[in-house]
Amino acid sequence: MRWITLISTGGTLEKTYNERTGSLENKKSVLHRLLRRLRLEDVNVNIVELMQKDSLHMTDQDRARILSAVRDFGGAAEMATESTGIVVTHGTDTLERTGQVLFEGIPSPRVPIVLTGAWRPFELGRSDAQQNLTEALFGASVLAPGVWCVAHGRALAFPGVVKDRERNTFVRRDEAPA
């Protein structure tokens, strides 16, 4: 049995439509709805709703909270919890900064720590949210201990992960347009 801790921080993946204002907002997690659509054999997922923020509004204090949560739920080598992998949902705009904080803050992870997000909210349809979450959960089960970005069929190890705004995905720094 695998035990994956899924830490929710918000981002586009979890934005919902506010009918009164006509805007997309981070108000409540949609991860329970996403997980109900998946068939997960021999996997238990523990959802931790840490915050609901657009990553453009994340502060250094928010990143410190994420680092602390990852450590608390078994990412650090000195922790002996049931987690066999950790997934952090995050906005794509600053995911690379948070990944770097995790990479530097947990130099010897005990388990794979996977960050993922989406370019289009799950609630709007035609979203990459379901694919990226599915891949991240799989990655948290099979990747080596380390800090990873998993999206669009790729698993990229930190450091050196960047957002490629032309291709709308993540790439290695040496693959990014100049």
Side-chain angles (χ1 to χ4, degrees), residues 162-167 171-178:
V162 296
K163 182 175 181 176
D164 183 336
R165 294 176 188 283
E166 290 180 20
R167 291 174 49 197
V171 297
R172 304 270 332 136
R173 188 175 318 284
D174 58 356
E175 297 175 322

Side-chain angles (χ1 to χ4, degrees), residues 6-74:
L6 178 55
I7 300 173
S8 165
T9 69
T12 298
L13 186 148
E14 296 199 73
K15 285 192 175 182
T16 56
Y17 180 70
N18 182 327
E19 293 177 4
R20 283 184 277 153
T21 65
S23 63
L24 291 170
E25 301 171 354
N26 286 109
K27 290 290 185 190
K28 61 181 178 170
S29 178
V30 299
L31 294 178
H32 293 283
R33 288 177 34 215
L34 270 164
L35 289 173
R36 279 195 301 269
R37 294 174 169 224
L38 302 180
R39 179 178 170 180
L40 300 172
E41 294 290 324
D42 301 321
V43 176
N44 284 320
V45 178
N46 173 39
I47 297 176
V48 176
E49 295 183 25
L50 189 63
M51 65 184 77
Q52 281 295 316
K53 273 196 157 178
D54 185 306
S55 71
L56 289 173
H57 301 129
M58 278 194 183
T59 65
D60 290 341
Q61 292 79 17
D62 293 326
R63 286 184 177 75
R65 277 184 69 198
I66 295 167
L67 174 62
S68 179
V70 170
R71 282 184 178 144
D72 290 348
F73 286 97

Side-chain angles (χ1 to χ4, degrees), residues 116-159:
T116 197
W119 267 253
R120 184 175 169 88
F122 166 70
E123 196 171 82
L124 292 186
R126 293 189 348 264
S127 170
D128 54 344
Q130 181 107 29
Q131 174 184 336
N132 290 345
L133 180 61
T134 303
E135 291 173 357
L137 291 168
F138 181 72
S141 297
V142 300
L143 291 170
V147 180
W148 300 84
C149 173
V150 173
H152 308 122
R154 298 180 83 187
L156 305 168
F158 280 89

